[in-house]
Amino acid sequence: MRWLLTSLSFCGPAGWPARRIPKRRGRGLATLAAIGLVFAQAIAPCAARAADVPATSGADDSTLAARLARAVPRGTRLIVAEQAGEGSVPWKLSGVGADAPYAVTFATFNGGPAVLEALVSGAVDVGYIGEAPLPIAVGAGVKDLVAIAITANPGSPANTYLVIQPESGIRKVEDLRGRTVAYPAGTGRHMILASILHDHGLDLRKDVKGVQVAGSEVAPTFSSRAVDAAIVLGHQYFRLGSPPVLANGAGHNWGLNPIVARKSALDDPAKSAAIADFLRRAVAMYNWQAKHPDDWITANYVKQRGMTFEQGKLLLKEEGMGTYYPIDAELTEVFQQIADGLVETGALRTKVDIRPYVDGRYNAIVQAQNRIDDAIPRPLVNDGQLDDGSRKPDSQPFVLK
């Protein structure tokens, strides 16, 4: 999002040096009140922010996998919620999941809100979601969920595109005033759409006619010409015949994708041990994807999503690959900015404090696996000069090339 970041210093979890959040350039959605909230969080005692350090901390990285596997009691089961094969596909493709010491079941859901519902009901133990659903769920009163691992891909278009009907007469985002726009409520796409509109002086709640549909119904709704515009994912974009694009997600998101767990599952020693082992493998297979792009394109974009290899290659080039980051004060502050921005753009009604809903107890595992894979997280900077495609000199929509 178009945030205004302050240049404050933060203390991290035990053993982490103080780090700085780079200033965010651009028009900025954050208000002075939001900045004050961030500052208040930043100066909170470091001890209160420190995560539980797992027993693996300080040991030889080469024995990490064996130690985590041995800690899982025999007969343990783990149910993992996903949305589009982001867990199950690389689990098998990379071979990382071959010797897991527990039975894993991957359950597919349509969108982050559905994953959260499954978590709240106790139907699954952990789940993959985007950056918007957790703050929105917290705002709705959900308490038993916590992010335990987070990838970030700052600057990415997030595989998200605001498209318009050909021959609609719409040439720029401002032309959407009074027009119908389809989006899935409570999702990352909801957040990105609200931010794009906000950046162009429009409010999703009153300046456009928002049409809320399920994530899988956004593209069909657009295809039927029932709406003037829609916020779609990359594979949907190509299935729609590459309609004109007003803007993408660049600069309107941080590319945060948490793995969320039930707090009650973390309180179960067997489940907690299995989750620790699963997270190591999740980091390993994510790093594997970055080193094997052609294999990932074939498995994910072609076989899973029904795209051509060239289309998948284009999307992966645009989207890029992120990295798992430790859940420290810096990442938590970024997540808080996302939550605050959801309020400012109307995707969330009330401010929430995200700190009780992030848990860095597995940070040492994430950092160790990144070292093993030579994966180095980029600085958490979402450059305000990123081009989301909405300000072309000739005010013409564009298509992916």
Side-chain angles (χ1 to χ4, degrees):
M1 279 187 174
R2 311 269 183 196
W3 313 118
L4 174 64
L5 297 190
T6 55
S7 185
L8 302 174
S9 293
F10 295 91
C11 54
W16 275 79
R19 305 173 73 179
R20 297 182 71 83
I21 301 292
K23 185 174 292 185
R24 175 74 162 89
R25 301 188 301 276
R27 288 165 291 281
L29 298 182
T31 61
L32 291 177
I35 295 173
L37 174 61
V38 170
F39 181 77
Q41 294 167 346
I43 62 176
C46 293
R49 302 290 298 274
D52 295 332
V53 180
T56 56
S57 179
D60 183 0
D61 289 348
S62 66
T63 66
L64 176 66
R67 285 183 281 112
L68 290 174
R70 283 198 304 267
V72 181
R74 185 173 299 177
T76 303
R77 301 184 62 85
L78 199 64
I79 305 177
V80 180
E82 60 178 1
Q83 299 178 53
E86 69 262 65
S88 59
V89 173
W91 180 267
K92 296 177 181 178
L93 185 64
S94 67
V96 168
D99 60 347
Y102 42 86
V104 180
T105 300
F106 288 94
T108 301
F109 294 87
N110 181 22
V115 171
L116 293 181
E117 288 178 9
L119 283 162
V120 171
S121 71
V124 301
D125 302 306
V126 298
Y128 287 84
I129 61 171
E131 60 196 65
L134 183 58
I136 291 174
V138 171
V142 172
K143 302 295 184 184
D144 188 37
L145 298 180
V146 63
I148 54 173
I150 301 177
T151 62
N153 190 11
S156 168
N159 193 28
T160 302
Y161 302 90
L162 175 58
V163 299
I164 56 173
Q165 298 289 356
E167 312 302 328
S168 64
I170 298 171
R171 289 290 180 268
K172 56 186 183 298
V173 176
E174 288 81 358
D175 293 339
L176 289 175
R177 186 180 297 275
R179 308 296 284 267
T180 51
V181 185
Y183 68 96
T187 67
R189 280 189 277 171
H190 182 174
M191 178 190 74
I192 290 171
L193 172 62
S195 180
I196 291 171
L197 293 173
H198 186 281
D199 203 37
H200 290 265
L202 301 177
D203 190 317
L204 176 59
R205 295 163 291 187
K206 59 184 180 181
D207 294 323
V208 304
K209 298 176 182 177
V211 179
Q212 297 185 5
V213 295
S216 61
E217 294 302 314
V218 174
T221 300
F222 181 84
S223 181
S224 69
R225 305 188 69 83
V227 294
D228 300 306
I231 190 84
V232 302
L233 299 175
H235 66 283
Q236 297 171 331
Y237 167 80
F238 285 114
R239 287 177 184 171
L240 290 171
S242 304
V245 177
L246 282 184
N248 61 43
H252 300 283
N253 77 103
W254 282 89
L256 260 65
N257 287 283
I259 294 180
V260 177
R262 288 183 290 110
K263 293 179 181 179
S264 52
L266 296 176
D267 291 337
D268 181 322
K271 291 281 190 184
S272 182
I275 290 170
D277 181 89
F278 175 79
L279 288 187
R280 184 201 68 78
R281 297 170 194 266
V283 175
M285 62 193 187
Y286 193 73
N287 293 338
W288 180 91
Q289 294 172 41
K291 295 179 179 179
H292 299 82
D294 288 356
D295 291 334
W296 178 239
I297 290 169
T298 300
N300 181 52
Y301 294 99
V302 178
K303 294 183 179 179
Q304 187 78 12
R305 301 177 184 270
M307 299 164 55
T308 68
F309 184 87
E310 288 304 315
Q311 289 171 341
K313 185 176 181 179
L314 176 59
L315 283 184
L316 186 59
K317 179 180 178 181
E318 282 237 329
E319 186 177 357
M321 288 293 297
T323 317
Y324 274 93
Y325 288 72
I327 301 177
D328 58 6
E330 183 178 5
L331 190 64
T332 301
E333 192 270 346
V334 168
F335 212 166
Q336 184 65 54
Q337 290 176 34
I338 291 168
D340 294 342
L342 289 169
V343 176
E344 294 185 46
T345 56
L348 180 60
R349 293 184 179 180
T350 58
K351 283 185 175 292
V352 301
D353 181 359
I354 204 66
R355 289 175 297 174
Y357 304 97
V358 294
D359 189 326
R361 72 178 68 189
Y362 299 118
N363 279 353
I365 296 172
V366 171
Q367 293 167 275
Q369 190 61 48
N370 276 340
R371 287 194 299 268
I372 292 169
D373 297 332
D374 294 322
I376 302 174
R378 302 194 306 273
L380 278 171
V381 180
N382 203 357
D383 192 343
Q385 304 306 309
L386 287 170
D387 180 15
D388 67 359
S390 65
R391 299 181 185 277
K392 297 295 181 185
D394 58 358
S395 297
Q396 292 294 316
F398 65 97
V399 295
L400 297 185
K401 297 181 180 178

